[in-house]
Amino acid sequence: MAKYSRIIAQAGCHIHHAEPAQVYEAWTNPELMKTWMFPSGGEKEADAEADVSEGGAWSIVNESEDEAYRAYGKYLEINPPERIKKTLVRKETGGQDEKITVEINSILNGSQLIVTQDVVFLHHEQLAEKVVEEHLREERLRTEKYWHEMFSLLSKQLTPS
């Protein structure tokens, strides 16, 4: 039988020369979302949708030759341009919601972006606690690395040439 364990991942960055409103727009405008949310890319242009209201749905799909990656959820809290809280569902979580909080702060020469994610790890209930803890640590590190890759793309998108 499947069991779920959770761990918190957190990543942040400084986006130079971008005001919080610009960063917020990149998180909520589907045309901008699909330009930076997939560091690994895909053969086709990503597709994104967003009903940016509390309870509104969002989704993003990126297709490669092998598979289509889909992430979706609902907005839980919208506080432009400082905060977005939403759920995230992806196939790796077996349909379990993860929570993502996006905090955008104005700082000298740009914005500070901090993302906190409640990461779900799906595993067999017989798996030893020590093994689960190691998998959770690896999942946290992988998630934080992925966020940093996305931040790099976001920064390139928002920083003037």
Side-chain angles (χ1 to χ4, degrees):
M1 180 169 220
K3 183 176 178 181
Y4 302 93
S5 295
R6 296 177 179 270
I7 195 165
I8 300 296
Q10 189 172 59
C13 73
H14 180 178
I15 300 179
H16 298 277
H17 308 293
E19 295 298 318
Q22 294 171 283
V23 177
Y24 177 87
E25 177 79 3
W27 275 89
T28 57
N29 178 323
E31 291 303 310
L32 296 175
M33 289 165 51
K34 62 188 182 181
T35 66
W36 65 272
M37 285 194 170
F38 289 103
S40 58
E43 284 88 33
K44 295 183 179 179
E45 181 177 309
D47 184 37
E49 295 179 5
D51 172 7
V52 186
S53 61
E54 290 185 14
W58 70 273
S59 68
I60 189 159
V61 178
N62 190 31
E63 293 184 31
S64 70
E65 189 175 296
D66 301 329
E67 66 180 315
Y69 176 83
R70 181 170 189 253
Y72 61 94
K74 300 249 181 236
Y75 290 102
L76 302 173
E77 179 184 333
I78 301 293
N79 185 9
E82 294 102 16
R83 185 177 169 94
I84 302 165
K85 191 170 187 176
K86 62 184 181 175
T87 62
L88 166 67
V89 179
R90 49 196 180 101
K91 70 178 181 180
E92 295 86 355
T93 64
Q96 294 293 307
D97 283 356
E98 296 176 313
K99 306 275 187 301
I100 295 177
T101 302
V102 179
E103 297 177 69
I104 306 164
N105 301 301
S106 180
I107 59 174
L108 185 63
N109 295 324
S111 297
Q112 176 192 47
L113 175 62
I114 300 170
V115 175
T116 305
Q117 181 174 345
D118 166 36
V119 179
V120 170
F121 171 62
L122 175 62
H123 59 88
H124 193 277
E125 66 182 9
Q126 303 292 342
L127 203 56
E129 186 175 331
K130 191 170 190 163
V131 174
V132 171
E133 288 174 8
E134 180 60 25
H135 281 291
L136 284 171
R137 187 185 74 75
E138 289 171 4
E139 189 65 18
R140 179 183 53 80
L141 292 173
R142 186 194 65 74
T143 300
E144 290 171 353
K145 179 180 183 274
Y146 193 77
W147 279 114
H148 283 289
E149 290 171 3
M150 289 185 359
F151 294 162
S152 178
L153 291 173
L154 176 60
S155 186
K156 288 177 185 171
Q157 176 77 22
L158 296 178
T159 302
S161 302

